[in-house]
Amino acid sequence: MRWTTFVILPTLATALPQWLKRQGGTTMLRFGCAQVVIDRLDPLVNPGQIPSPHVHQIVGGNAFNASMTTGDVSGGASCTTCRFSDDFSNYWTANLYFKARNGSYKRVKQLGAARQFNDDFSTKIDGGVLVYYVSAQPGKITAFKPGFRMLVGDPARRTADPALKRHNCFRCYTGPNFGGDTSAPCMDNKIDTQNLPKDVCKGGIRSNIQFPTCWDGKNLDSPDHKSHVAHPTSGPANFLSLGGSCPSTHPIRIPQLMYEVVWDTTPFNNKAEWPADGSQPFYFSYGDNTGYGQHADYVFGWKGDSLQKGMDASNCMGASCKDMKVQTIDQAKKCSVKTTVKEDNDGWISQLPGGEMPM
Ligand SMILES: *[C@@H]1O[C@H](CO)[C@@H](O)[C@H](O)[C@H]1NC(C)=O
Ligand SMILES: *[C@@H]1O[C@H](CO)[C@@H](O)[C@H](O)[C@H]1NC(C)=O
């Protein structure tokens, strides 16, 4: 056990779950980013398109816009909603909506991270995302380069993708206030499912999305936003099981990036309001109530070599790491981006913004 460098939450060390403790020797930055904007934009998949097909929840730097297609994002940003104040990256995922028996939809709010294992920042990011950068492979981990971006998952998918088995999963919290099982995500099919939970979750629903860990070393992006990155030859690395070797086509080991999103589904737990046909009532903004289409977008935007410093510093755990700069949750929440596409994000709406994506 080498927990001496775990400076932010020393008193919590004993409360940490076993799967976190096993990380000794590797670095796992795990920090909150509050919401920077909710908008119907997607500069990665639909650059310049206003509005884009579906609504996203975006966190990170304030350089986010419809056409941030190339270049060093950190140069265009003046603030960020993330705990690490040199992180001007943007992280986004699709919003989730509840579909009531009468056919109307209401957006499900995102919460802060679960209180048990987290710092005072990440539990207060309501509307945000918990971001992980893990050195989940042996050897040198090379941080992303300015202009790097990638996408994981496929919004058109409605059946389980075996390749994403340990990469994309949902947890149904069975007790109030994130009660229930607290084991590592995406490890056990009985605890975590690849589909959205079909029954009431007393404590809300969590989604974990993990990105590939190997890069071709040349391209900052690719036409499908995926083929410049790859999984290790032994299959997808999970941030617990150290990944195998990277393929010769994608030899550079990059950090294991993971997003953790928690939705407060509890206002919608009355089954009398669920669709009469018994269908699962939670829909992603792109019209998916299976959950198999869950996907996530990333645009790298750390200033200078600040992320590389973090990945080189072994044994950094959580939301602080050696001399990496941090900010308070109050400072982070002052950062925002003006909404471009006006949608009703809080009331009952008769259809999903943009309608359901044609299959
Ligand atoms: C969007 O961001 C890009 C890259 O940072 C910048 O060049 C462009 O001027 C921005 N567009 C708007 C409308 O702000
Ligand atoms: C639909 O149902 C929800 C929840 O039961 C309710 O709050 C809303 O007002 C209803 N909308 C319409 C248009 O009836």
Side-chain angles (χ1 to χ4, degrees), residues 84-105:
F84 289 109
S85 49
D86 278 341
D87 182 10
F88 300 99
S89 306
N90 285 116
Y91 310 89
W92 66 94
T93 50
N95 289 74
L96 192 70
Y97 294 79
F98 170 69
K99 185 181 190 176
R101 183 159 293 198
N102 62 17
S104 300
Y105 294 87

Side-chain angles (χ1 to χ4, degrees), residues 105-175:
Y105 294 87
K106 197 172 201 297
R107 186 176 65 88
V108 181
K109 292 203 166 120
Q110 288 179 204
L111 289 175
R115 226 150 274 275
Q116 302 101 306
F117 313 124
N118 285 291
D119 53 282
D120 200 37
F121 187 107
S122 62
T123 54
K124 292 179 179 156
I125 53 165
D126 50 311
V129 170
L130 191 64
V131 175
Y132 293 64
Y133 287 86
V134 188
S135 56
Q137 297 174 83
K140 167 89 177 167
I141 299 294
T142 303
F144 310 101
K145 303 288 178 231
F148 182 91
R149 54 214 49 223
M150 64 178 163
L151 168 71
V152 69
D154 175 3
R157 189 168 257 292
R158 296 294 179 270
T159 52
D161 181 353
L164 285 180
K165 194 168 166 205
R166 301 173 90 194
H167 265 230
N168 186 3
C169 69
F170 299 96
R171 179 159 307 180
C172 180
Y173 283 114
T174 53

Side-chain angles (χ1 to χ4, degrees), residues 3 16-24 28 30 117 317:
W3 276 97
L16 281 163
Q18 203 54 40
W19 60 270
L20 260 175
K21 289 182 184 169
R22 264 191 274 130
Q23 285 293 317
M28 180 164 79
R30 169 193 170 100
F117 313 124
M317 290 287 148

Side-chain angles (χ1 to χ4, degrees), residues 214-227:
C214 303
W215 175 46
D216 70 9
K218 293 191 265 305
N219 297 296
L220 299 173
D221 194 3
S222 47
D224 62 358
H225 315 290
K226 292 177 177 177
S227 41

Side-chain angles (χ1 to χ4, degrees), residues 50 63-73 75-77:
I50 302 172
F64 181 86
N65 74 28
S67 48
M68 48 185 300
T69 48
T70 52
D72 185 354
V73 176

